[in-house]
């Protein structure tokens, strides 16, 4: 059954928390929502304590009035199950549901997500309140989507209590046929860790030395699955009451969260949605927006998705929380739309005057309507209304970049050759030159169907199973271009080193063999024979069919290949045994993608982002000026700029300094 969002055009709104305000404020809220063009709000996310003031006792009167008010004003509701924040009475009755941290300390309630994901008491209570909501509001005309929980794993991705230990053992029994298989997978002959009874296995709690890497990896897999099972259970309760209504939960595909394997989660969502916040210390956070948007679109199978949360200005949880610059609110939002978002929402509608997030920006700030943020919010509503026809259009990419949570978790475990090697940093370093060149990118699992791509990039794939390695190798043999970064293919799915030399699973396709790794110290660099430098990593590469493209000219590996190229089958495989400096890496990525026959969606001046969404009969070209200099960009002679509704008969569009243009080009 196809479950789609019934809100027309681009959805626009945010988290609405009327329980934080006197009821006389609500009428002003909906009036201002209409003024801003808001057509969808998320309701009830943190209202469990008010909806169920005592176990089994419910009070839905406030929520009834809120939903009725929204519907009367033409505003749809994304109704949440409030299970991210159990009330105090629950923990007094069920103290065993509190989470236990890595060092064995039981955490207290008094915040959000302070529960153990394996707690039977929590699951029972969560499904009970979800069921009550489902039965009461299944037919309410305001409710167009279910919002299950909120940001799963944001604060409680792991719980190390005895209940979690028991659940972990159940998960392990399903994964492994017997204890011998587990002991083999975990390599427990090392340090006398052999298990003779399932009950001897515990979570990877704090110990005096380095933990077993496979134990830790399976634990992270289990934790992701444990939370997923909670989502599925709540979703199924809601789906039983309202089979045709879509359900979602908000992912957090951004720089500071990696607790969940969203490749496993995404197929269970009717509509994929995401929360994304900028990092104040990132001078080019627009690249992070693009990377996140491309990954979320890819998780959604190429279909449109929803931006469930971002900020109008400053957040409240970073060391320094900077406000957004003039025009940045608009650029951020429309950049998400360019990457496939069919909905733009914020945390939250009205800025809170009390509580932990009182200094988090909102659509309606503390200053009220006499503020720049409010003016920008209203203007953005008009922009999104003008882009209604873009809804449902999709992206089109010839470049795929491999992303794998297992590989990320394994790479960033302790006792690696270098703790300076960070997964997201490597992915972004390869992604950035593609973004600057206007190259469309999809993210893929390593075992995905790659037949529609010309070029597949693997910035980092430390862990890879045999099937995925064969998939990438076969892509190359069939004529594709593959580029692989250092320390990839090193271990199998159990985090066991692949013997015989590095890069392990990719030696044959790359035509190289490394016998020793030489990671670099922080700030240390080596010179390359093309005039560039390498940092972070070097290794002693021996050519085994490949040819050297670039070599080291300083350090202990002088004369050793740093970048290689190998013909494999009818395709080409590249290997980077270091991290080249920004300009050198950009030139190399440009060479690789040009040889692969990949062209930009549109050639634009530096600093002007170009993204294409494809509709049934037209292409939608998004142009975002991040440099602030403006630009003239060539377009089709019968194109129309949608934000101004102006025909572009002269074959160019003007992008204002710091502005955005969205151009409809009919497809011939």
């Amino acid at each position: 059954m196809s479950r789609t969002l019934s809100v027309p055009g681009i959805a626009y709104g945010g988290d609405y928390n009327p329980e934080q305000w006197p009821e006389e404020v609500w009428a002003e809220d909906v009036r201002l929502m209409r003024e801003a063009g808001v057509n969808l709000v998320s309701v009830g996310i943190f209202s469990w304590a008010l909806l169920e003031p005592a176990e089994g006792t419910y009070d839905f009167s406030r929520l009834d009035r809120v939903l009725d008010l929204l519907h009367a004003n033409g505003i749809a509701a994304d109704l949440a199950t409030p299970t991210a924040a159990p009330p105090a009475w629950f923990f007094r009755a069920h103290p065993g549901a509190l989470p236990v941290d890595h060092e064995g300390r039981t955490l207290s309630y008094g915040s959000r997500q302070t529960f153990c994901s394996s707690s039977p008491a929590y699951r029972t209570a969560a499904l009970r309140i979800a069921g009550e909501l489902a039965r009461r509001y299944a037919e309410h005309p305001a409710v167009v989507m279910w919002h299950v929980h909120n940001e799963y794993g944001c604060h409680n991705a792991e719980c190390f209590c005895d209940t979690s230990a028991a659940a972990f053992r159940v998960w392990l029994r399903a994964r492994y046929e017997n204890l011998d298989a587990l002991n083999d997978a975990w390599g427990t002959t090392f340090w006398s860790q052999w298990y003779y009874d399932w009950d001897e296995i515990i979570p990877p709690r704090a110990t005096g030395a380095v933990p077993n890497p496979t134990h830790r990896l399976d634990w992270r897999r289990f934790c992701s699955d444990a939370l997923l099972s909670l989502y599925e259970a709540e979703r199924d309760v809601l789906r039983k009451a309202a089979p045709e209504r879509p359900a979602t939960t908000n992912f957090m595909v951004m720089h500071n969260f990696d607790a969940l394997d969203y490749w496993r989660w995404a197929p269970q969502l009717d509509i994929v949605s995401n929360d994304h916040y900028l990092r104040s210390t990132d001078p080019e956070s627009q690249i992070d927006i693009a990377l996140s948007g491309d990954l979320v679109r890819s998780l959604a199978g190429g279909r449109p998705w929803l931006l469930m949360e971002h900020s109008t200005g400053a957040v409240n949880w970073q060391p320094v929380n900077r406000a957004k610059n003039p025009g940045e609110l608009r650029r951020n939002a429309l950049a998400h739309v360019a990457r496939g978002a069919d909905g733009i929402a914020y945390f939250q509608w009205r800025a809170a005057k009390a509580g932990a997030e009182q200094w988090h920006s909102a659509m309606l700030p503390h200053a009220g309507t006499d503020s720049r943020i409010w003016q920008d919010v209203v203007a953005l509503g008009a922009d999104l209304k003008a882009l209604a026809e873009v809804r449902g259009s999709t992206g089109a990419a010839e470049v795929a970049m491999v992303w794998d949570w297992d590989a990320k978790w394994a790479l960033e475990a302790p006792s690696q050759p270098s703790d300076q090697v960070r997964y997201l940093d490597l992915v972004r370093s390869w992604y950035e030159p593609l973004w600057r060149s206007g190259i469309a990118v999809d993210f893929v699992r390593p075992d995905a169907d790659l037949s529609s791509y010309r070029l597949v990039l693997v910035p980092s794939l430390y862990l890879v199973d045999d099937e995925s390695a064969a998939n990438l190798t076969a892509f190359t043999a069939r004529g594709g271009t593959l580029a692989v970064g250092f320390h990839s293919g090193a271990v199998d799915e159990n985090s066991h080193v692949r013997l015989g030399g590095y890069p392990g699973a990719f030696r044959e396709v790359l035509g190289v063999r490394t016998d020793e790794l030489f990671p670099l110290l922080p700030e240390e660099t080596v010179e390359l024979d093309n005039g560039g430098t390498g940092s972070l990593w070097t290794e002693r590469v021996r050519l085994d069919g490949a040819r050297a493209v670039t070599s080291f000219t300083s350090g202990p590996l002088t004369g050793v290949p740093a970048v290689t190229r190998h013909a494999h089958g009818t395709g080409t495989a590249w290997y980077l045994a270091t991290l080249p400096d920004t300009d050198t890496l950009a030139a190399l990525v440009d060479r690789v993608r040009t040889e692969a026959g990949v062209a930009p969606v549109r050639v634009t001046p530096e600093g002007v982002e170009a993204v294409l969404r494809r509709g049934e009969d037209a292409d939608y070209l998004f142009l975002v000026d991040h440099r602030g200099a403006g630009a003239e960009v060539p377009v089709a002679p019968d194109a129309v700029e949608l934000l101004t509704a102006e025909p572009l008969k002269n074959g160019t569009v003007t992008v204002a300094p710091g502005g955005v243009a969205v151009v409809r080009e009919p497809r011939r």
Side-chain angles (χ1 to χ4, degrees):
M1 178 184 296
S2 177
R3 301 176 180 89
T4 58
L5 185 63
S6 59
V7 174
I10 306 295
Y12 184 44
D15 286 15
Y16 182 40
N17 299 292
E19 64 273 11
Q20 297 178 8
W21 301 94
E23 192 161 348
E24 56 267 22
V25 174
W26 301 356
E28 181 187 30
D29 282 333
V30 294
R31 178 182 65 81
L32 292 175
M33 287 178 189
R34 293 174 64 182
E35 181 179 331
V38 167
N39 56 13
L40 177 69
V41 293
S42 297
V43 179
I45 293 176
F46 296 116
S47 59
W48 193 345
L50 298 178
L51 296 177
E52 190 178 6
E55 187 164 0
T57 300
Y58 302 98
D59 180 2
F60 294 110
S61 58
R62 180 187 288 103
L63 184 55
D64 287 345
R65 297 194 299 277
V66 169
L67 291 175
D68 289 346
L69 179 64
L70 291 171
H71 180 63
N73 284 271
I75 301 165
D78 169 33
L79 181 57
T81 60
T83 52
W89 60 256
F90 170 79
F91 291 112
R92 291 187 66 193
H94 306 285
L98 287 166
V100 174
D101 73 7
H102 181 246
E103 297 181 349
R105 297 173 300 182
T106 299
L107 304 182
S108 177
Y109 61 90
S111 184
R112 65 179 187 177
Q113 290 186 329
T114 50
F115 63 85
C116 166
S117 61
S118 299
S119 164
Y122 169 78
R123 179 179 289 252
T124 297
L127 296 186
R128 185 177 63 238
I129 186 66
E132 292 294 331
L133 281 165
R135 284 185 288 274
R136 188 174 188 90
Y137 298 112
E139 302 300 327
H140 197 288
V143 179
V144 298
M145 183 166 63
W146 300 115
H147 186 302
V148 183
H149 199 78
N150 185 73
E151 295 183 337
Y152 275 101
C154 183
H155 304 286
N156 64 337
E158 300 175 281
C159 173
F160 296 85
C161 72
D162 290 340
T163 300
S164 295
F168 183 38
R169 290 190 285 269
V170 171
W171 185 90
L172 291 170
R173 282 176 177 268
R175 182 174 179 86
Y176 297 103
E177 293 182 2
N178 50 52
L179 271 174
D180 286 344
L182 179 141
N183 280 308
D184 180 65
W186 286 16
T188 56
T189 53
F190 189 82
W191 280 359
S192 188
Q193 295 175 54
W194 191 273
Y195 296 103
Y196 291 95
D197 190 291
W198 288 101
D199 287 341
E200 294 171 357
I201 300 172
I202 59 175
R205 295 166 177 156
T207 62
V210 178
N212 181 315
T214 318
H215 183 182
R216 177 66 181 157
L217 178 60
D218 269 347
W219 170 254
R220 297 205 67 172
R221 291 164 169 160
F222 156 74
C223 291
S224 177
D225 284 355
L227 287 165
L228 176 57
S229 74
L230 288 177
Y231 166 78
E232 291 173 326
E234 285 195 38
R235 178 208 60 194
D236 290 348
V237 167
L238 300 167
R239 187 172 285 177
K240 183 178 179 181
E244 297 182 358
R245 185 163 297 142
T248 190
T249 189
N250 39 344
F251 290 173
M252 290 182 289
V253 178
M254 56 181 178
H255 57 86
N256 62 344
F257 185 81
D258 74 343
L260 306 181
D261 182 350
Y262 285 137
W263 287 125
R264 290 177 59 82
W265 280 66
Q268 306 306 320
L269 276 62
D270 296 315
I271 300 172
V272 169
S273 63
N274 190 50
D275 295 352
H276 185 272
Y277 291 97
L278 306 183
R279 179 168 42 184
S280 291
T281 55
D282 185 351
E284 293 190 294
S285 54
Q286 63 269 21
I287 302 175
D288 191 56
I289 290 175
L291 193 159
S292 172
D294 282 343
L295 180 50
V296 176
R297 186 193 65 251
S298 302
L299 289 167
R303 298 184 302 277
W305 51 279
L306 301 177
L307 180 65
M308 194 62 71
E309 285 186 28
H310 69 313
S311 66
T312 57
V315 298
N316 70 304
W317 42 267
Q318 298 181 29
V320 176
N321 298 290
R322 75 167 187 86
K324 292 189 176 182
N325 294 323
E328 192 174 2
L329 180 153
R330 184 180 192 237
R331 290 194 300 275
N332 290 170
L334 296 183
H336 283 292
V337 176
R339 301 283 165 178
D342 272 3
I344 296 294
Y346 291 93
F347 180 83
Q348 57 181 326
W349 162 251
R350 182 183 284 270
K353 66 177 181 179
E357 294 180 297
Q358 67 192 102
W359 290 111
H360 195 293
S361 61
M363 299 177 77
L364 184 62
H366 292 137
T369 58
D370 185 16
S371 61
R372 190 189 75 192
I373 282 181
W374 174 252
Q375 294 166 4
D376 289 347
V377 163
V378 173
L380 178 60
D383 284 339
L384 296 176
K385 186 176 180 180
L387 297 180
E389 68 179 81
V390 173
R391 174 177 171 154
S393 58
T394 59
E398 296 179 314
V399 177
M401 188 170 286
V402 171
W403 179 284
D404 186 69
W405 272 274
D406 273 1
K408 185 180 191 302
W409 295 338
L411 175 69
E412 296 179 357
S415 292
Q416 283 287 327
S418 171
D419 67 1
Q420 302 298 302
V421 178
R422 310 299 295 177
Y423 188 87
L424 180 57
D425 291 345
L426 291 174
V427 171
R428 176 161 164 169
S429 70
W430 286 43
Y431 178 89
E432 181 176 334
L434 296 169
W435 176 86
R436 294 190 188 281
S437 298
I439 304 297
V441 177
D442 287 343
F443 284 90
V444 295
R445 298 168 57 116
D447 59 352
D449 179 2
L450 304 174
S451 59
S452 64
Y453 300 104
R454 293 177 180 267
L455 171 62
V456 174
L457 302 177
V458 186
S460 179
L461 194 62
Y462 168 70
L463 177 151
V464 63
D465 60 27
D466 291 345
E467 179 184 359
S468 297
N471 184 50
L472 293 163
T473 299
F475 163 79
T476 313
R478 293 192 303 267
T481 300
L482 176 72
V484 178
F486 59 80
H487 208 29
S488 294
V491 301
D492 65 14
E493 66 273 18
N494 294 317
S495 216
H496 292 194
V497 174
R498 293 180 178 273
L499 303 179
Y502 320 115
F506 299 121
R507 289 197 305 267
E508 179 185 354
V509 67
L510 297 173
V512 298
R513 181 179 178 274
T514 292
D515 73 324
E516 191 170 7
L517 308 176
F518 289 75
L520 300 176
L521 297 172
E523 310 303 325
E524 184 182 6
T525 61
V526 291
E527 295 178 359
L528 305 175
D529 63 9
N530 60 6
T533 59
S535 65
L536 203 63
W537 190 272
T538 63
E539 57 188 63
R540 188 161 50 223
V541 174
R542 186 179 74 195
L543 301 179
D544 192 12
R547 67 174 180 85
V549 175
T550 303
S551 298
F552 299 113
T553 57
S554 69
L557 300 182
T558 296
V560 171
V563 178
T564 64
R565 187 179 189 274
H566 183 229
H568 181 79
T570 57
T572 304
W574 296 73
Y575 184 55
L576 279 67
T578 189
L579 179 63
D581 64 82
T582 300
D583 290 342
T584 302
L585 180 58
L588 178 60
V589 170
D590 186 64
R591 175 181 172 182
V592 171
R593 63 94 176 164
T594 300
E595 289 187 11
V598 176
V601 297
R602 197 66 44 94
V603 176
T604 61
E606 181 182 352
V608 178
E609 179 179 6
V611 191
L612 199 67
R613 287 184 63 162
R614 308 206 73 184
E616 290 186 6
D617 303 312
D619 292 336
Y620 299 99
L621 176 65
F622 285 73
L623 299 164
V624 186
D625 176 32
H626 300 287
R627 186 179 54 169
E632 296 286 331
V633 178
V635 296
D638 52 354
V640 175
E641 204 290 310
L642 294 180
L643 297 175
T644 60
E646 292 184 6
L648 302 171
K649 297 180 180 179
N650 62 353
T652 62
V653 64
T654 300
V655 185
V660 181
V662 182
V663 179
R664 181 214 298 133
E665 295 181 315
R667 188 177 307 120
R668 296 175 178 81

